[in-house]
Amino acid sequence: MQVLTDISQFFSNLAAWHWLALGALLLALEVASTTSYLLWPGIAALIVGALQLLVPGLQGVASLLLFAVLAVVSSIVWQRSPLGRRAPTAQANLNSRMATYVGRRGTAACDFVGGEGAILLDDTRWAAAVTDETAPRGGDLLLVTGAEGTVLKVRGAS
């Protein structure tokens, strides 16, 4: 039971500078981690420290409860607000490498047999399949019209 008494005394004796130091520590960890998980608890600790400076009677369990409520509520409000949501990227095909080739022109690396062959784009040879009934020959100019997995869909480019 001595442990509970010690914990209770510790929380009852938290001064404003304890909260300010905790807030600074949480914000420093947030800057180092860049996750935004510690941002609002850090700000909540700074607010509790500032309130303890202005209202000296705010001690013990009341300050701990205020910190918990501020940290949880501000985190939830931030995550649900439009400002807390990540903006969509301007790159629609950011994680779709094959989709970035749609609309590009390349040359047939070899003769297509059965509608399948290869296309040279930049310095890379890609598996390709024709979308029409043509049979491109090596060196023909092709237009990428789509992608299915790692196979580029192509048609002859005039």
Side-chain angles (χ1 to χ4, degrees):
M1 286 304 191
Q2 180 63 30
V3 173
L4 292 177
T5 306
D6 291 342
I7 291 173
S8 176
Q9 251 183 344
F10 173 76
F11 286 126
S12 295
N13 295 330
L14 286 177
W17 72 269
H18 289 111
W19 289 109
L20 296 173
L22 177 64
L25 176 68
L26 289 174
L27 290 178
L29 289 172
E30 172 58 39
V31 169
S33 70
T34 67
T35 60
S36 78
Y37 294 124
L38 300 175
L39 176 66
W40 293 105
I43 292 172
L46 292 175
I47 290 171
V48 170
L51 284 175
Q52 267 195 345
L53 288 174
L54 297 173
V55 183
L58 183 66
Q59 297 281 335
V61 177
S63 64
L64 192 63
L65 182 64
L66 180 62
F67 167 72
V69 169
L70 282 174
V72 170
V73 169
S74 61
S75 295
I76 291 171
V77 168
W78 176 256
Q79 290 298 323
R80 292 185 182 209
S81 76
L83 296 174
R85 294 191 187 107
R86 293 191 186 266
T89 178
Q91 288 272 5
N93 299 324
L94 182 62
N95 291 323
S96 303
R97 181 174 183 187
M98 300 307 281
T100 62
Y101 291 116
V102 174
R104 302 228 2 234
R105 296 176 191 271
T107 57
C110 58
D111 294 346
F112 279 59
V113 177
E116 296 180 352
I119 183 173
L120 294 173
L121 284 171
D122 300 328
D123 61 349
T124 306
R125 179 183 173 123
W126 294 97
V130 291
T131 56
D132 52 11
E133 298 301 319
T134 61
R137 302 189 52 82
D140 288 354
L141 189 61
L142 300 173
L143 176 68
V144 178
T145 59
E148 187 174 304
T150 59
V151 178
L152 294 173
K153 300 296 182 181
V154 297
R155 67 175 169 79
S158 312

